[in-house]
Amino acid sequence: QRDLEIALKTGACINIQHISTKEAVELVRSAKKKGGDIHAEATPHHFTLTEEAVLKHGALAKMNPPLRTEEDRMAIIEGLKDGTIDLIATDHAPHTKEEKGVSDITKAPSGIIGLETALALGITELVAKKHLTLMELLDKMTWQPAKMYHLDAGYIAEDGPADLVIFDPDCYQTFMNFESKSKNSPFAGKTCKSQVEYTISDGKIAYIQCMGFAGMED
């Protein structure tokens, strides 16, 4: 609330990251109505999971800010629907199996990996359930963040940056084998809709799902 008030008074651009509570959603919604260059971001884990996941997954579901209640989760989804939350970011935080595998959860670091699961979770939890259209989801994951951070990215145009993801929105996948060197995810074993087939970075194929390996250059 303090930061929002300062942003409104000074005209500064502000991004409230990793929103996890219904109170935070309402604070941003109220501030946006007053004008200003105000943005807000939510993560796939906060619009997908609740605190109940900690009982099932232990330290794999420990993050900062922590998972909250179902009421908070639905408030985040409502914020995404009405534009209060205009960005979706992964909050990708790799940790080793040993770090997350300690017997005392209070000693485990916070955070989960999120790059490989973000798109599928968005399509499964937001698009398939009619909270957002596919284009609204992609807006919040691509050109909206790029625009706010003044990045030449997030769009498709001739002679533009060739950073692309080619995916099948209708197939299903079960998260089992992660390309990341870390495996700290409460979504391991979860079946979601959509699958990334190709990742293209700077015009070069960086990942090919259908061939089962990564690292291709052309």
Side-chain angles (χ1 to χ4, degrees):
Q1 183 176 16
R2 176 203 61 194
D3 293 350
L4 288 167
E5 290 175 356
I6 292 173
L8 285 170
K9 185 174 182 178
T10 63
C13 175
I14 187 172
N15 179 26
I16 306 299
Q17 296 181 317
H18 310 348
I19 281 186
S20 66
T21 67
K22 60 183 185 296
E23 291 86 0
V25 176
E26 189 52 44
L27 283 171
V28 172
R29 182 178 288 119
S30 177
K32 279 195 167 188
K33 290 177 180 178
K34 299 175 183 177
D37 195 0
I38 293 172
H39 305 269
E41 168 255 285
T43 72
H45 36 280
H46 285 113
F47 64 67
T48 301
L49 301 174
T50 70
E51 58 191 0
E52 296 296 321
V54 182
L55 299 177
K56 181 178 181 180
H57 300 287
L60 290 179
K62 180 185 177 183
M63 56 202 64
N64 186 27
L67 297 170
R68 310 287 188 177
T69 67
E70 177 65 10
E71 188 177 3
D72 292 306
R73 187 182 77 87
M74 290 308 301
I76 291 169
I77 291 175
E78 287 302 314
L80 289 163
K81 290 169 64 176
D82 68 15
T84 298
I85 302 173
D86 50 334
L87 314 173
I88 292 174
T90 65
D91 191 24
H92 186 75
H95 294 291
T96 66
K97 180 179 179 180
E98 290 74 22
E99 287 176 313
K100 282 292 195 176
V102 294
S103 57
D104 183 355
I105 192 173
T106 65
K107 299 293 195 301
S110 297
I112 68 171
I113 57 172
L115 289 176
E116 295 171 71
T117 55
L119 179 60
L121 289 171
I123 290 175
T124 301
E125 297 296 328
L126 300 176
V127 178
K129 295 181 180 180
K130 309 298 184 183
H131 297 304
L132 298 178
T133 66
L134 180 58
M135 288 308 301
E136 286 172 337
L137 173 68
L138 296 179
D139 284 349
K140 294 176 187 291
M141 297 185 74
T142 58
W143 76 266
Q144 292 274 24
K147 179 182 177 181
M148 193 204 72
Y149 286 110
H150 306 290
L151 302 175
D152 184 26
Y155 65 94
I156 300 174
E158 186 175 357
D159 296 325
D163 297 330
L164 304 167
V165 170
I166 300 173
F167 64 96
D168 182 345
D170 296 318
C171 75
Y172 287 85
Q173 66 170 313
T174 299
F175 298 124
M176 296 296 292
N177 300 312
F178 294 102
E179 293 295 334
S180 173
K181 291 182 179 180
S182 296
K183 313 297 179 186
N184 54 306
S185 172
F187 298 114
K190 180 178 176 63
T191 299
C192 285
K193 194 173 183 181
S194 89
Q195 179 168 285
V196 172
E197 300 291 350
Y198 294 87
T199 300
I200 301 172
S201 176
D202 194 26
K204 297 180 180 180
I205 297 175
Y207 174 78
I208 305 177
Q209 168 64 31
C210 58
M211 295 183 66
F213 58 90
M216 290 289 293
E217 293 198 0
D218 49 44

